[in-house]
Amino acid sequence: EESMRPLQIEIDNAKRAALDAQVMARQQADVARMTSRMAVERARMADWDGGSSRGASGWISGGPGSMLTVGGLRVSVVSDGLSSYFGKGSENGLLVLDASDEWHPLQAGDVIVSLNGKSVREGDHAEMSLDSDHDNTFVVLRKGARVSVHVKAH
């Protein structure tokens, strides 16, 4: 028995090491799952500086010249001077300054009046809430006419 004791200690140490390795593997798998979830959530959040994610909401509080960028769509509050140029209804709208291809058929020069049936502006406060899982319907003023524009979900 005495000669077997060192061997038994090595076997016990190996069992403990194997259990520790299993625990560590489970912990690493948990960390990998959490990291993946965090990456998905980060991708869902709009990159307010021009990324490509469209599932977002944002608001502007300020007068003419105040801008909002939501994943490749850049808009500005319509000033009083521009509202006379764009016509009736534009005073409560947001002027599209830039729209990347993923926002097609929205285009620069459109004045967004509503999004998914909700007005985008009240006075100096403007808000847009986009749904990345569903198509979004914009009512815009384009060349003096009210047009419904459907932006497909990606």
Side-chain angles (χ1 to χ4, degrees):
E1 275 185 40
E2 195 62 35
S3 63
M4 297 294 280
R5 184 151 175 80
L7 185 57
Q8 187 61 45
I9 291 172
E10 282 186 47
I11 291 172
D12 290 343
N13 287 343
K15 285 180 183 177
R16 272 194 295 278
L19 288 173
D20 288 346
Q22 287 176 344
V23 168
M24 184 174 283
R26 279 193 298 269
Q27 289 173 338
Q28 287 175 341
D30 289 343
V31 167
R33 273 192 299 279
M34 185 58 72
T35 301
S36 175
R37 285 181 190 162
M38 288 171 57
V40 167
E41 289 304 315
R42 263 189 240 115
R44 285 184 183 168
M45 294 173 64
D47 178 5
W48 298 99
D49 294 321
S52 62
S53 177
R54 287 195 300 140
S57 64
W59 59 273
I60 309 171
S61 186
S66 299
M67 287 189 289
L68 172 67
T69 301
V70 179
L73 177 66
R74 190 166 57 112
V75 297
S76 176
V77 172
V78 176
S79 68
D80 291 338
L82 283 177
S83 69
S84 64
Y85 175 80
F86 287 112
K88 185 173 166 67
S90 64
E91 67 277 1
N92 292 318
L94 296 173
L95 175 62
V96 176
L97 301 172
D98 293 306
S100 65
D101 289 343
E102 73 179 289
W103 293 96
H104 179 78
L106 276 179
Q107 55 190 329
D110 286 345
V111 176
I112 300 170
V113 178
S114 69
L115 170 59
N116 298 324
K118 184 180 176 198
S119 178
V120 295
R121 186 167 156 211
E122 290 182 29
D124 286 343
H125 178 79
E127 183 174 353
M128 292 195 324
S129 184
L130 303 158
D131 187 345
S132 62
D133 295 328
H134 299 93
D135 294 352
N136 289 280
T137 301
F138 293 82
V139 173
V140 301
L141 296 174
R142 181 180 288 166
K143 296 181 182 176
R146 274 178 139 30
V147 179
S148 284
V149 174
H150 303 283
V151 177
K152 298 280 185 198
H154 290 334

